[in-house]
Amino acid sequence: MAYGFIYICLAMITAGIILLFCMKIKHNAALRKIEAYTAKHRDYFVYVQMHLHDDVKLQLPPGRLDRIEADVIQAKLMEWIEQLKGEAREKLLLLCREAGFVERDIRSLSSFRKGKRIEAAYRLGGMRASEAVPQLLKLLARTNYGPLAIIIARAIAKSADQPEQIRDMLLQLLASGKPIHALAADILLETRLDSASLLRRFLDDPEPGLVKVALVAMWGQAVPSAVPTLDRLVGSSEKDVRAEAVKLYLSSNPVLKDATIAQLMNDHEWEVRAACAQALGRLHAAGSIPLLAEALKDDNWHVRNYSAESLALLGEQGFETLCQAALHGTGPARETALYRIERIMAKEGNHEEVEQMVDFNKKKLLYDRYFGGAKPSKRIGKMAGVGGDYTA
């Protein structure tokens, strides 16, 4: 029995080695064929490039193509499709359909081999095959969330010609329950459809997940017509939706009323308070200094840090508020104020523009009055100078 077991193991090892060598030989032969077909069709590729922008219909390559030869031409056409837009891209898409590449890959979606189905989905997305979207949606529904599902979702986003198809794809992705809204937004923006109208549509969708995806996708997108919707979503009952809406709303540089600022700075979700505190310095809302000073005592580190950062951006008055918090504050408020002051003072000599140098010198005078032992000015009032160096 022992000898028999040894012989069986040796036979399996030998068979495995032979199989590996066969696979290696097959792979090398395929690479040689790809190189040969690339060289063979070099003139055809030049012909396609020369006539992409001409008012002529592109012709298929002459002769019958075998599988590897068709793959070489399809890969080159897909590479150009990703790089080009407009009429040139449409010509290449039509050429892929006439060559039978789209039809072949749609048949491959029904293959028993998982790898072949995923490769077909990737190529169909590259060729913007709208006729394959129904099958791709069914394939996505059968695929658990992971890299393969993301490949299929991108293919659907590139190929879809109806907003409902994009919506179905996003809902299937979000059904995994994972925090993938940023990834879903990135996939959404690959669509051929009008992204601005899609974003407006999803902002009004009853599904909170789609609303959040639209809010994330709007970063860097100019959608002026969505501002009224943002104003409404600022009061949403969904925490994540409200936080993203506040960030976007504040990034549009609105003219904020004191009551609105106070409401946002006292929101029960720290994400909303942090977004508001971060925006107030950028908006130069000097009237919000008392609220930012109070926010230095917030329980959340992000809120305290963004409040100190905004106070540092609000000129002498904001910096003086930081100095007062560093002297009279306690616990986290004092530590946050001291940290921000040290960061500001560490930038001495790093200012190239005159305005930056003047602003820093004003802050340095305030710093010396509070921490350098100088007598306080009338402007500081009843604040006493404190000796010692607190920059360490």
Side-chain angles (χ1 to χ4, degrees), residues 172-357:
Q172 290 188 37
L173 275 183
L174 298 174
S176 64
K178 300 184 182 298
I180 56 169
H181 298 87
L183 174 62
D186 182 61
I187 294 174
L188 166 64
L189 293 176
E190 294 197 33
T191 180
R192 292 186 296 169
L193 302 174
D194 182 19
S195 59
S197 63
L198 271 178
L199 294 179
R200 291 195 303 270
R201 179 191 182 104
F202 291 148
L203 284 176
D204 293 323
D205 198 281
E207 177 60 42
L210 293 179
V211 176
K212 187 174 180 181
V213 170
L215 288 170
V216 175
M218 281 181 64
W219 284 102
Q221 301 288 320
V223 191
S225 58
V227 174
T229 306
L230 286 179
D231 196 14
R232 174 178 59 81
L233 291 175
V234 164
S236 172
S237 58
E238 292 285 338
K239 178 188 74 171
D240 293 342
V241 170
R242 188 167 70 256
E244 291 295 334
V246 168
K247 292 176 186 177
L248 268 175
Y249 179 71
L250 294 174
S251 69
S252 62
N253 294 326
V255 179
L256 296 176
K257 298 179 181 179
D258 293 341
T260 304
I261 296 175
Q263 179 185 355
L264 295 176
M265 287 298 292
N266 289 288
D267 194 276
H268 59 278
E269 300 295 344
W270 71 263
E271 292 95 337
V272 177
R273 300 196 303 274
C276 185
Q278 185 181 23
L280 290 177
R282 186 184 66 251
L283 297 173
H284 300 288
S288 61
I289 287 179
L291 285 172
L292 290 171
E294 186 66 25
L296 290 174
K297 306 172 187 176
D298 197 280
D299 294 335
N300 186 270
W301 178 87
H302 294 86
V303 179
R304 297 196 303 270
N305 185 61
Y306 284 135
S307 298
E309 186 178 299
S310 288
L311 285 171
L313 296 174
L314 294 176
E316 295 175 73
Q317 189 178 358
F319 184 75
E320 187 171 355
T321 302
L322 281 176
C323 293
Q324 292 172 355
L327 289 176
H328 287 303
T330 57
R334 181 176 182 274
E335 294 174 4
T336 304
L338 280 173
Y339 171 76
R340 182 55 52 184
I341 291 171
E342 291 168 4
R343 291 286 301 272
I344 295 171
M345 290 298 103
K347 294 180 181 179
E348 184 174 10
N350 295 336
H351 306 286
E352 298 180 358
E353 297 184 6
V354 176
E355 292 182 1
Q356 294 178 343
M357 294 176 62

Side-chain angles (χ1 to χ4, degrees), residues 146-168:
L148 301 182
I150 294 171
I151 292 173
I152 300 171
R154 288 191 185 277
I156 295 171
K158 291 179 178 180
S159 305
D161 56 2
Q162 299 175 20
E164 282 301 320
Q165 295 172 336
I166 298 291
R167 186 179 186 275
D168 291 344

Side-chain angles (χ1 to χ4, degrees), residues 97 102 105-106 109 124 129-137 156 159:
R97 281 177 170 78
V102 172
D105 284 327
I106 289 177
L109 289 177
L124 287 168
S130 57
E131 58 266 47
V133 172
Q135 283 185 254
L136 288 171
L137 284 169
I156 295 171
S159 305

